[in-house]
Amino acid sequence: MEKMSRVTTALGSSAISGRTMFCHLDAPANAISVCRDASQVVVAGRNIFKIYALEEDQFVEKLNLRVGRKPSLNFSCADVMWHQMEENLLATAATNGAVVTWNLGKPSRNKQDQLFTEHKRTVNKVCFHPTEVYMLLSGSQDGFMKCFDLRKKESVSTFSGQSESVRDVQFSMKDYFTFAASFENGNVQLWDIRRPDRYERMFTAHTGPVFCCDWHPDDRGWLATGGRDKMVKVWDMTTNRAKEIFCVQTIASVARVKWRPEKKFHLATCSMMVDHNIYVWDVRRPFIPFATFEEHKDVTTGIVWRHQHDPHFLLSGSKDSTLYQHMFKDATRPVDKANPEGLCFGLFGDLAFAAKESLISSDSNRKPYPGGDRRYPIFFFKKPDQTEQFAHVSSALSVFETDLDSNCMDWFVKTAQLYLLCGKPFAELCDHNAKVARELKRPQVSTTWTMLRIMFSDPANLTPGPNHPLSKLGTLPLMNSFNMKEMNSGMGAESRLERSKGESRQDNSHLEPGNSLISNNNEDNEETEGSDGQAEYMFGDAELDDDDLYSMEHDNQTEEQEYTLPQEAFQLRHEIMDNPSAPEHLQQDKADSPHVSGNEAEVTCLTPIESFSLISISQPLFTPQLPASFFCPIVREMLSYYAEKGDVQMAVSVLIVLGERIRKEIDDLTQEHWYTSYIDLLQRFELWNVSNEVIKLSTCSAITCLNQTSTTLHINCSNCKRPMSNRGWICDRCHQCASVCAVCHHVVKGLFVWCQGCNHGGHLEHIRNWLKSSAHCPAGCGHLCEYT
Amino acid sequence: MIICTSKMEYPLRTQCQRVHKQVMVNGEKERVSLLFMKALVSRGSVDAVSQQMASHPQYLESFLRTQHYILHMDGPLPLPYRHYIAIMAAARHHCNYLVYLHSAQFLRVGGDPVWLQGLEAAPPRLRLLDHINKVLAHQPWLTACSHIQALLKAGEQCWSLAELVQAVVILAHCHSLCSFVFGCDTDSDPASLSKSPNGTPPTFCPFDAANGNANVPQTLATPSEHITRRRSLDSSCDMVCLKEKIQKSQEEREKREERLLQTQGLQQTDMEEEEEMICFADPTRFITDPDLCYQEFARREEDHFQVFRVQDYSWEDHGFSLVNRLYSDIGHLLDDRFRSVTTLPSMHSPDLKRAIWNYIHCVLGIRYDDYDYGEVNQLLERDLKLYIKSVACFPDATKTPVCPLSLAPLKPSEQIHVNLLIMEARLQAELLYALRAITQYMIA
């Protein structure tokens, strides 16, 4: 590579070597600078001003420039710079506003050379011209920049930024006459050193102060700026308008920025507060630092690359009173620890997932997307020097599209509008709602309604129909027909096998196969998301049967040992009843089934299968009609199931329709929760009427009171301007009628409408009539009233 | 057509309109009016402090925004906590006015009235804050890393860093506001709630029934330019009304009486609404160690207290970043305040402003390397220095500040400007000390 060869020529025979090392300073450092041949470094701070020699494996203190018994504030340095042409020449910016130059060639102990006290405020930055020996530039808090000729006693020119404090000044590396200045108000200005009257160009680089700027050492057009807004920006200055070409977001305000030598896209930053690390960024990869140096314990105040052609050594000074030399090879590489997976939802429910290629490639199930190739592999080809490159990362991006229709909530709105929640006999309500659900292609919901009707209707009232023969064998045929369907869509033989295995075990263990089924079934559900009705719609009964089966098993063992006949019958039953929807409910079942089945099942455990009651005539407990309360636990679980699934509409609708039949079964808090969720949903869809109806029909006190809040309207008397406390139409204090209709001039008692613009109004009817004929206010105020 | 359902909405709206109308009298005050309107909408009142500041609308805007943000907007502390902290801070300087104000707001946001019985009744977590409150209020240079550590020390009653930063901001805000209240003498009696220096009439007047057609002249000529704007038309009606009113009651005294009545009326209604409002008594119940007060920093310099060097820890470079990181956006708001107070158009020269600012910081132990403190003596007369110091360091409501002769001939708005400078300088000083301690804690 061309650049590599340049490095070797530049460094020549005196190639720099060294290792990561540090030394303790006596005091916090504010700035550091190296001399041209990279052999010495100067450290400056409020209470320190020393020169250290950089040796092979240590820093050696060479010179303490801070002399005198009680050093003046001139020694309190905000910034320091070592001249890059003249080895003996240093300049410091003092916090009291002085600009001081130091001549190391002086024989005396005090090396102070020149002292310029022209700035009124703290000088933030000094900068020597890169090629001109005697030219020094300073930027101060007072908003001025001054150019000094070191052969003269005073500044030769003063540049007024016309904005706030100057934070940084930097001579351009390539343009002899140009320098850049950054300001506390976020601006960056370009100046021609020959024209002190006006800046050449100004642009706003950051919000808040721009703490630092640095010209690219190779590319003449690039200027990097860092600001309090935690950003590093790279500007292309060659065009007419400064153009932002790169932007790096850091985690703390950026105090210093330095381009890395010989690396076109690398720069080093350190922070002013909170964050103590030094980062080296590849500006093309702004999301993760290329390298990090984490040695400092307090904020880093000064960073400088040791040699202007060597990218491997970085020097830094810090408030923690240490001076470090960092070797680039010792830097930590955050990218190694980074998590290469990413996950994000799109606006319309699309899911994007990026992961390492190796992780994804095994997944053979992925289908190419119909709308073209949606995989965007990102490759970074290895380059010769691996340490200088970001780790080879190749990720695959998958986008999972959701069917727009499945997300469409039309069904919700329609359902909400069409459902009948009251006003008709229970059975009709159920039928109606079942029909609504069926028409919206939600068979599971529809069937649930039908089931509810069957469960809770008084058998005597049941309207005979082809599907519901009113017989002793009541529900059995129905169940069978459902099961037939489900066998098709249900799970494979394998899981059923598992299930039957589990059955032969005792008590606790029989839940385990259920577990596996749950996971199995969940997967199934995901695939059929949105149309999972079929797979589910029998859960109530199926579960019931399982429940009974189990409870019967232990009941029988303890109390009804002599009872042998059912065994056979049950196994038979089971074959039919074992449908995929059952296990899903075992989940909830597990939590509360012990006592549920304990309570209910003891009495009625064997009832649901009517055929059974035929066999066991000896048991008087069982009546042909099932008590409605028998179904309550099931319905309760069904409701929670719907609510869990997100269909709170169903839960609430059933709750309202069933009313007293189920209310006692569900604790108030849950009910209230469902109600509020549903009402919230309805209001989001602006179904105000439905939401109001729901509020009205709810039996939760917390919900019904919603309709009673915010119903008070406080008004003041229009005469005496005092609040009217008792009645709305006559004022207690001035005894005058307050709310007078602007049309009929009578007091308004009842519905009162007024214009928000002019505050005139009156009887609703009167105003309505008035506005038919005129657009102006009936009070004659001339206002064009608007009523909506 | 709107039939208002929300309980508060309607009276508020009319109040807003009222304010709007009243300040519309003076065209250039539109900005203020807008601010007041916002304040009314959000809080239901415009306090006396805001009215005092109304002569500097540019500043008022950023002040109100900050205050609204720290007391009412997103933040880690629950609302009642915030007001209680404000009460604690104001009580440090015996500022009845602020204690009263925040007690009312405390109850309004659902605070437990029992807490108002005194610091002992407050939760231990708030009691822990007492120490830093004390120190920040009187001798901020004592704020140390150890205080922060004690508060953040893990335990049942510990504070999180974000909560602490918000608490500190509220404390500093209220301490400095005490200075302003004291400097402007707003604190003396309830009647002065509505005393306003710039002719903005008081704004507490919940009246104007919906129709309002009973006594408004029906034949008002409508200025044509208002036709398109409904609300402004409304206000034009009332403007005439207002003019009449002003003509009728020329004498200032009469006006005052009326205001007094209105204010009382308001208080009455307040009492009706919030029956719990029993506890607007002695601020001393919210503080401990009442004898602690400001001590001369300069004299103790020799002892062991390091001078705080702004060049080592400044608001722009350090304070801002820290506070903004731990309590998002507050940095920008405070920055805006500091910036606007120094750039306010004023008769005072920039040098004088800087002298005042640096003098306050100097009194509180903060030094600028690049400032010649001899300037302070040149620019600030003795009595002005005395005034500044008493307002900044001893804003005790039980005394009245002696207005220095050099300020007397100035317009009230200029006097207020000096008070604003004092307030902001003090705010920044307290924040710097507190934030530096937090920084030290984070590094340690």
Side-chain angles (χ1 to χ4, degrees), chain A residues 20 57 63 107 242 295 306 325 345 409 419 441 484 507 521 542 617 619 621 634 646 687 713 740 745 758 768 786:
Chain A
T20 296
D57 49 7
L63 189 61
E295 279 85 0
R306 184 169 160 189
Q325 171 172 277
F345 267 112
M409 291 290 278
Y419 267 4
K441 302 211 167 49
M484 293 317 287
D507 260 335
N521 201 45
I617 312 157
Q619 295 188 334
L621 272 173
I634 306 150
L687 298 161
L713 185 63
V740 178
H745 298 281
C758 65
R768 198 177 281 161
E786 273 180 41

Side-chain angles (χ1 to χ4, degrees), chain B residues 346-391:
Chain B
S346 154
M347 282 161 58
H348 305 304
S349 70
D351 283 346
L352 182 72
K353 286 189 218 170
R354 191 166 172 226
I356 294 174
W357 186 278
N358 287 357
Y359 176 63
I360 296 161
H361 275 192
C362 168
V363 162
L364 296 172
I366 298 175
R367 294 297 149 82
Y368 291 77
D369 280 347
D370 54 357
Y371 190 69
D372 176 11
Y373 284 87
E375 261 182 54
V376 171
N377 289 331
Q378 286 167 21
L379 291 168
L380 306 184
E381 313 238 332
R382 219 185 111 73
D383 59 345
L384 181 60
K385 269 170 76 175
L386 213 68
Y387 171 79
I388 290 171
K389 195 164 175 177
S390 73
V391 170

Side-chain angles (χ1 to χ4, degrees), chain A residues 509-527:
Chain A
S509 58
H510 68 233
L511 290 176
E512 282 170 25
N515 256 336
S516 69
L517 290 183
I518 287 160
S519 56
N520 236 338
N521 201 45
N522 281 346
E523 277 168 26
D524 287 356
N525 272 347
E526 270 160 41
E527 274 175 14

Side-chain angles (χ1 to χ4, degrees), chain A residues 620-638:
Chain A
L621 272 173
F622 309 127
T623 52
Q625 280 87 30
L626 293 165
S629 65
F630 166 77
F631 295 105
C632 285
I634 306 150
V635 173
R636 182 183 63 184
E637 269 145 33
M638 173 202 78

Side-chain angles (χ1 to χ4, degrees), chain B residues 300-330:
Chain B
R300 344 203 92 237
E301 200 175 338
E302 254 61 63
D303 301 350
H304 56 285
F305 297 118
Q306 281 275 315
V307 175
F308 189 114
R309 298 272 178 194
V310 164
Q311 269 70 18
D312 290 344
Y313 200 97
S314 68
W315 166 256
E316 286 81 10
D317 293 3
H318 306 92
F320 172 91
S321 300
L322 183 67
V323 81
N324 216 35
R325 162 177 291 248
L326 294 170
Y327 181 17
S328 55
D329 291 345
I330 190 69

Side-chain angles (χ1 to χ4, degrees), chain A residues 118 141 206 215 230 241 264 283 285 352 381 386 398 488 514 519-520 585 595 635 640 653 663 711:
Chain A
E118 293 180 34
Q141 200 74 15
H206 293 265
W215 289 96
K230 307 179 188 174
R241 283 176 61 104
K264 188 170 182 195
V283 289
R285 297 282 308 265
F381 295 107
Q386 202 179 348
S398 331
N488 304 335
S519 56
N520 236 338
H585 299 285
H595 56 265
V635 173
S640 350
S653 304
R663 193 163 301 131
T711 50

